């Protein structure tokens, strides 16, 4: 069987003081050497998952495995996991060198070895020459790098990063996104990265877990999650989207705004009510009378790269459109899209059912051709 | 920060400080008087100091006072520091315990002294060095707690998680993270305890027995026997010593304060 998983959650539930359930029957697997992202709105339990992996808290129910061994009761200081905290949690009474050396000193490593490893770790994060600076003399971005160096110097199997970029300004943040991703590739250590910024998640991850209200909504590669969101929450949370009510007439044929359209989804009951997703960048503006839908522009905003327009169709559905063409409020236009731009979502479908169905109808499809 | 204080406010402040310090300077001034009383200054002399230094009984009392102050401050600091860490870790009962702590600080010395006297009598502890030491330790602990707690509260709790994350055992977390962080508070507590012990009259007066005395008790009994400029000389020395302590405390807190200022982002 697959034994590459380094961390495994089996039906993990966590509640604090018998109050609300913060994590509700969460199961997932993390493979070695990849960049994972936990993505979700504030309070959905991201930090709680990291704290469970780090060993600061224990699950109320369920099991956590590390390399196949159950580690529910293993204390934090005995786990091969290091954390980069949201506020970095650097030791203010120690300078940069001593902060990074902290873990090695605990391990009673030899002085020369410590010096070597610390300078190696600092050069990994481009902080050579900052050894004897006080933490208070470092900028936000530099502190973040010290925190990363302090984690990687211990050569852990997993590094947990709790929204490490949220305190940085946009530019530095983008730069650090590249650096982090690059660092992960060079080190080959598993990174579990927490963010509530969906763009960051899409840009950096090998695999994303989308969380909401203590449950994993969907997991998969950024492209999978963006193109095939499992439900309204994921579609709404990741990227911008038009989510419109529809009806699945039969396989590969869906009714939207009262009209039938060819699509690429299937495996549902005939005439099942569904929701469909079309991304605003997949909608194309056509002259009035052309395209698949007739709409009226009701608002428009200049966004730099593109215009963002809201258009209303004849059924009253509002469509968000990204276009580079200049349009006017009140214009009557046509909207066009391709069959593969339509993504159909069933109500209350679990991730397993979703995966099974997708597998099945893609097979049907290839058989049919 | 607001703008500079108005001249009127400055004058007011100076007046208050003058009024507070005037009696002390008056007392210090007459400690150099060659006339035997505080009624008229006749000439400069160091005789009173000389006599004090020649008085071995008094020297022993000075020594007692210092030993009591140092020992009680030391024990109180140790107990108070761990106490503060314990209180800090509490969740629900924290406030009530803090309340009890403050009550000890604000309650009148006379009551504390009297209750110690009752306690020692019941427990059969002989009044003398140990009873004084114990009571000084006891009344200093709340002060230390009060100085250390804010430092603990100021500490980012994720520092402790970070240390554990890096492999630190409980002991290492304490010695390598918590202790260095709260050191300024511990020092402040120590010096506060030291000055409280040196100052203390009421509690000591109750719990000291025959043959054991501290400076403040001694000054009191000298004053009762009649006015002598020995008292002035002795008080002057005590006053200077206190100023020295305050100076040390100030320097230490300044130094760590600078560093601490840097901690806060
Ligand atoms: N020690 C605790 N005691 C009680 N409730 C807690 C505790 N820690 C977290 N919670 C609750 O658990 C829920 C999830 O918290 P968590 O910190 O995991 O959220 P998060 O996804 O990291 O959010 P954010 O993006 O805001 O950091 C929150 O509702 C929070 O109030
Ligand atoms: Mg969080």
């Amino acid at each position: 069987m697959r034994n590459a998983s380094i961390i495994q959650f089996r039906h993990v539930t966590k509640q604090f003081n018998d109050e609300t359930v913060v994590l509700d029957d969460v199961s997932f697997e993390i493979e070695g050497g990849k960049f994972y992202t936990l993505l979700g709105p504030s309070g959905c339990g991201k930090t709680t998952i990291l704290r469970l992996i780090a060993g600061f808290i224990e699950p109320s129910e369920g099991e956590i495995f590390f390399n196949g061994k159950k580690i529910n009761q293993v204390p934090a200081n005995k786990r091969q996991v290091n954390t980069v905290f949201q506020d970095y949690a650097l030791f203010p009474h120690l300078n940069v060198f001593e902060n990074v050396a902290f873990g090695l000193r605990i391990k009673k490593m030899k002085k020369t070895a410590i010096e070597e490893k610390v300078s190696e770790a600092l050069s990994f994060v481009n902080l050579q020459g900052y050894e004897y600076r006080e933490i208070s003399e470092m900028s936000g971005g530099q502190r973040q790098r010290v925190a990363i160096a302090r984690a990687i110097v211990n050569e852990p199997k997993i590094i947990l990063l709790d929204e490490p970029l949220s305190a940085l300004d946009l530019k530095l943040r983008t730069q650090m996104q590249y650096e982090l991703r690059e660092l992960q590739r060079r080190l080959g250590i598993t990174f579990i990265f927490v963010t509530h910024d969906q763009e960051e998640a899409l840009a950096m991850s090998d695999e994303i877990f989308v969380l909401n209200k203590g449950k994993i909504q969907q997991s998969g590669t950024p492209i999978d999650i963006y193109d095939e969101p499992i439900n309204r929450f994921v579609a709404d949370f990741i990227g911008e989207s038009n989510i419109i009510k529809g009806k699945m007439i039969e396989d590969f044929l869906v009714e939207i705004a009262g009209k039938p359209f060819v699509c690429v989804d299937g495996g549902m009951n005939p005439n099942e009510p569904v929701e469909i997703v079309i991304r605003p960048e997949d909608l194309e503006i056509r002259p009035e009378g052309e395209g698949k839908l007739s709409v009226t522009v009701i608002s428009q905003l200049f966004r730099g790269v593109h215009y963002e327009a809201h258009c209303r169709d004849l059924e009253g559905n509002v469509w968000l459109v990204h276009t580079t063409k200049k349009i006017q409020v009140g214009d009557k236009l046509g909207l066009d899209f391709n069959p593969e731009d339509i993504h159909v979502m069933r109500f209350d479908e679990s991730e397993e059912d979703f995966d099974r169905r997708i597998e099945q109808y893609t097979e049907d499809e290839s058989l049919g051709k | 920060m607001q703008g500079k204080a108005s001249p009127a406010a400055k004058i007011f402040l100076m007046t208050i400080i003058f009024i507070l310090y005037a009696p002390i300077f008056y007392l210090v001034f007459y400690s150099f008087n060659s006339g035997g009383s505080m009624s008229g200054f006749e000439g400069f002399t160091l005789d009173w100091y000389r006599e004090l230094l020649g008085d071995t009984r008094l020297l022993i009392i000075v020594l007692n006072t210092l030993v009591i102050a140092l020992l009680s401050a030391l024990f109180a600091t140790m107990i108070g520091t761990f106490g503060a860490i314990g209180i800090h870790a509490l969740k629900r009962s924290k406030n009530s315990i803090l309340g009890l702590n403050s009550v000890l600080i604000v309650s009148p010395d006379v009551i504390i002294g009297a209750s110690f006297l009752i306690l020692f009598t019941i427990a059969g502890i002989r009044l003398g060095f140990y009873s004084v030491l114990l009571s000084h330790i006891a009344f200093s602990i709340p002060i230390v707690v009060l100085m250390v707690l804010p430092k603990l509260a100021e500490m980012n709790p994720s520092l402790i998680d970070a240390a554990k994350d890096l492999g630190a055992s409980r002991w290492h977390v304490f010695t390598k993270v918590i202790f260095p962080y709260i050191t300024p508070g511990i020092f402040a507590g120590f010096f506060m305890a030291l000055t409280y012990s040196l100052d203390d009259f009421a509690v000591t007066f109750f719990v000291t027995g025959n043959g054991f005395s501290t400076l403040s008790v001694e000054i009191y009994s000298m004053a009762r026997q009649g006015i002598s400029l020995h008292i002035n000389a002795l008080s002057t020395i005590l006053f200077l010593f206190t100023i020295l302590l305050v100076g040390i405390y100030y320097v230490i807190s300044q130094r760590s304060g600078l560093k601490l200022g840097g901690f806060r982002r």
Side-chain angles (χ1 to χ4, degrees):
Chain A
M1 280 290 282
R2 282 179 300 162
N3 223 348
S5 78
I6 180 160
I7 285 279
Q8 201 180 2
F9 271 49
R10 272 195 211 151
H11 306 293
V12 171
T13 294
K14 177 71 193 173
Q15 52 197 120
F16 291 102
N17 315 322
D18 301 321
E19 281 167 30
T20 46
V21 178
V22 173
L23 289 182
D24 184 7
D25 193 15
V26 169
S27 299
F28 62 85
E29 273 181 41
I30 299 260
E31 285 169 31
K34 284 196 188 172
F35 196 115
Y36 287 87
T37 299
L38 302 178
L39 174 66
S42 188
C44 68
K46 306 181 294 288
T47 300
T48 306
I49 292 185
L50 287 199
R51 291 173 65 78
L52 282 168
I53 299 176
F56 301 136
I57 49 178
E58 281 177 32
S60 315
E61 273 165 56
E63 296 163 311
I64 301 175
F65 292 86
F66 180 87
N67 275 339
K69 273 197 216 99
K70 188 170 158 183
I71 54 162
N72 283 32
Q73 260 86 38
V74 178
N77 56 347
K78 298 266 174 355
R79 297 195 185 185
Q80 287 172 292
V81 174
N82 285 116
T83 308
V84 176
F85 291 83
Q86 179 157 8
D87 54 4
Y88 311 145
L90 297 171
F91 303 117
H93 58 284
L94 302 177
N95 62 20
V96 170
F97 181 93
E98 287 303 326
N99 261 282
V100 178
F102 191 92
L104 304 178
R105 291 220 192 279
I106 299 260
K107 282 184 208 146
K108 299 227 156 52
M109 202 173 264
K110 280 212 186 77
K111 222 177 158 193
T112 48
I114 290 181
E115 275 166 17
E116 200 175 303
K117 278 184 180 284
V118 170
S119 77
E120 194 186 7
L122 284 176
S123 69
F124 240 123
V125 294
N126 283 325
L127 279 182
Q128 305 98 314
Y130 286 86
E131 282 87 347
Y132 299 104
R133 285 263 198 122
E134 293 297 326
I135 297 303
S136 55
E137 298 163 358
M138 304 289 276
S139 75
Q142 290 169 335
R143 284 179 198 189
Q144 200 234 4
R145 285 180 229 205
V146 177
I148 293 172
R150 187 176 69 173
I152 62 177
V153 77
N154 302 292
E155 297 170 10
K157 295 281 190 295
I158 302 176
I159 292 187
L160 310 173
L161 304 103
D162 194 354
E163 307 200 29
L165 306 183
S166 58
L168 308 180
D169 65 55
L170 188 64
K171 202 153 181 202
L172 188 56
R173 193 155 145 181
T174 323
Q175 181 196 339
M176 288 306 299
Q177 288 174 0
Y178 279 105
E179 285 186 20
L180 267 184
R181 186 67 240 236
E182 176 56 27
L183 187 71
Q184 190 272 333
R185 289 215 179 92
R186 273 189 289 158
L187 290 170
I189 300 177
T190 309
F191 274 40
I192 305 181
F193 181 88
V194 160
T195 181
H196 54 246
D197 179 341
Q198 45 99 10
E199 281 181 44
E200 197 164 277
L202 291 174
M204 297 175 75
S205 330
D206 288 319
E207 195 120 357
I208 299 177
F209 292 101
V210 185
L211 282 136
N212 189 31
K213 295 189 183 146
K215 277 183 188 287
I216 293 185
Q217 302 288 323
Q218 189 172 9
S219 57
T221 65
I223 292 179
D224 281 351
I225 289 191
Y226 189 83
D227 285 347
E228 290 174 346
I230 182 170
N231 57 27
R232 191 181 185 96
F233 173 80
V234 178
D236 208 27
F237 197 74
I238 310 257
E240 289 182 281
S241 45
N242 293 293
I243 304 172
I244 309 280
K245 287 205 164 29
K247 196 165 75 180
M248 201 69 191
I249 301 168
E250 55 181 57
D251 282 0
F252 312 120
L253 194 65
V254 63
E255 185 186 293
I256 306 168
K259 287 198 237 172
F261 293 102
V262 174
C263 66
V264 294
D265 289 284
M268 286 161 255
N269 304 324
N271 291 323
E272 181 178 331
V274 291
E275 287 179 305
I276 65 112
V277 180
I278 303 183
R279 297 287 181 186
E281 66 273 17
D282 291 334
L283 289 169
E284 244 178 277
I285 299 241
R286 290 285 152 83
E288 194 182 354
E290 292 178 30
K292 299 201 164 95
L293 290 168
S294 303
V295 295
T296 314
V297 180
I298 52 176
S299 75
Q300 142 175 274
L301 220 67
F302 179 58
R303 284 281 186 194
V305 190
H306 56 73
Y307 289 94
E308 190 179 274
H310 286 89
C311 306
R312 187 179 284 125
D313 68 18
L314 302 174
E315 296 272 309
N317 299 312
V318 175
W319 298 84
L320 177 68
V321 185
H322 288 174
T323 175
T324 49
K325 293 195 185 114
K326 189 150 173 50
I327 46 178
Q328 298 285 330
V329 173
D331 280 355
K332 291 200 184 305
L333 305 165
L335 283 186
D336 202 6
F337 47 84
N338 298 321
E340 58 273 17
D341 295 333
I342 305 175
H343 170 67
V344 181
M345 303 183 300
R346 302 175 86 176
F347 288 97
D348 297 323
E349 190 172 35
S350 76
E351 202 181 356
E352 294 89 44
D353 293 344
F354 175 79
D355 289 342
R356 208 174 302 138
R357 180 168 62 79
I358 285 195
E359 226 164 85
Q360 205 172 359
Y361 76 72
T362 39
E363 263 170 35
D364 290 352
E365 196 179 16
S366 47
L367 281 178
K369 274 178 190 165
Chain B
M1 275 298 209
Q2 287 172 5
K4 290 208 174 105
S6 71
K10 267 189 197 163
I11 290 169
F12 178 71
L13 195 67
M14 296 308 269
T15 316
I16 295 277
I17 290 181
F18 178 75
I19 292 173
L20 287 175
Y21 275 83
I24 297 175
F25 283 121
Y26 185 72
L27 186 145
V28 171
F29 180 68
Y30 275 97
S31 72
F32 300 108
N33 186 9
S34 57
S37 75
M38 288 210 270
S39 45
F41 195 83
E42 285 171 19
F44 180 84
T45 179
L46 287 174
D47 280 355
W48 306 113
Y49 290 91
R50 212 167 288 134
E51 280 179 35
L52 277 186
L53 289 179
D55 187 343
T56 31
R57 201 184 78 86
L58 202 63
L59 284 182
I60 288 173
I61 290 176
V62 170
L63 213 63
N64 282 342
T65 311
L66 289 180
V67 168
I68 290 276
L70 279 172
L71 279 183
S72 70
L74 200 70
F75 283 115
T77 304
M78 287 197 291
I79 300 169
T81 300
F82 283 104
I85 291 173
I87 293 175
H88 182 69
L90 292 176
K91 286 195 183 109
R92 299 219 176 109
S93 43
K94 190 172 183 170
N95 279 333
S96 31
I97 293 198
L98 268 183
L100 290 178
N101 192 62
S102 316
V103 166
L104 278 185
I105 291 177
V106 298
S107 50
D109 284 358
V110 180
I111 294 178
I112 295 182
S115 53
F116 275 127
L117 179 60
I118 296 168
L119 178 74
F120 290 139
T121 320
I122 291 173
I125 295 174
R126 248 193 47 216
L127 298 184
F129 176 79
Y130 288 105
S131 63
V132 173
L133 179 64
L134 280 178
S135 53
H136 279 216
I137 292 174
F139 73 65
S140 299
I141 289 173
I143 299 159
V144 176
V145 169
L146 213 64
M147 302 305 274
V148 174
L149 260 181
K151 283 267 122 203
L152 284 167
E154 182 191 296
M155 193 170 106
N156 178 355
S158 61
L159 290 183
I160 294 173
D161 280 345
K164 282 191 207 155
D165 189 70
L166 294 164
S169 59
R170 274 161 172 258
W171 174 245
H172 278 143
V173 169
F174 177 71
T175 56
K176 292 188 168 237
V177 180
I178 298 178
F179 186 73
Y181 198 95
I182 61 173
T183 306
I186 296 177
F187 269 114
F190 178 77
F191 276 97
M192 278 299 228
L194 208 59
T195 45
Y196 265 69
S197 169
L198 281 178
D199 276 4
D200 179 71
F201 167 71
V203 176
T204 317
F205 185 68
F206 273 96
V207 297
T208 190
N210 255 347
F212 187 82
S213 183
T214 64
L215 262 182
S216 31
V217 174
E218 181 62 18
I219 290 174
Y220 173 75
S221 54
M222 280 163 79
R224 272 193 358 162
Q225 280 160 20
I227 302 195
S228 145
L229 293 187
H230 285 120
I231 302 175
N232 294 42
L234 197 52
S235 305
T236 303
I237 293 173
L238 196 58
F239 177 64
L240 288 180
F241 190 68
T242 313
I243 288 194
L244 183 74
L245 277 186
V246 171
I248 294 174
Y249 170 70
Y250 185 73
V251 168
I252 287 179
S253 62
Q254 270 279 304
R255 218 186 266 158
S256 55
L258 274 183
K259 227 179 153 193
L260 279 179
F263 287 4
R264 300 186 201 108
R265 290 175 202 155

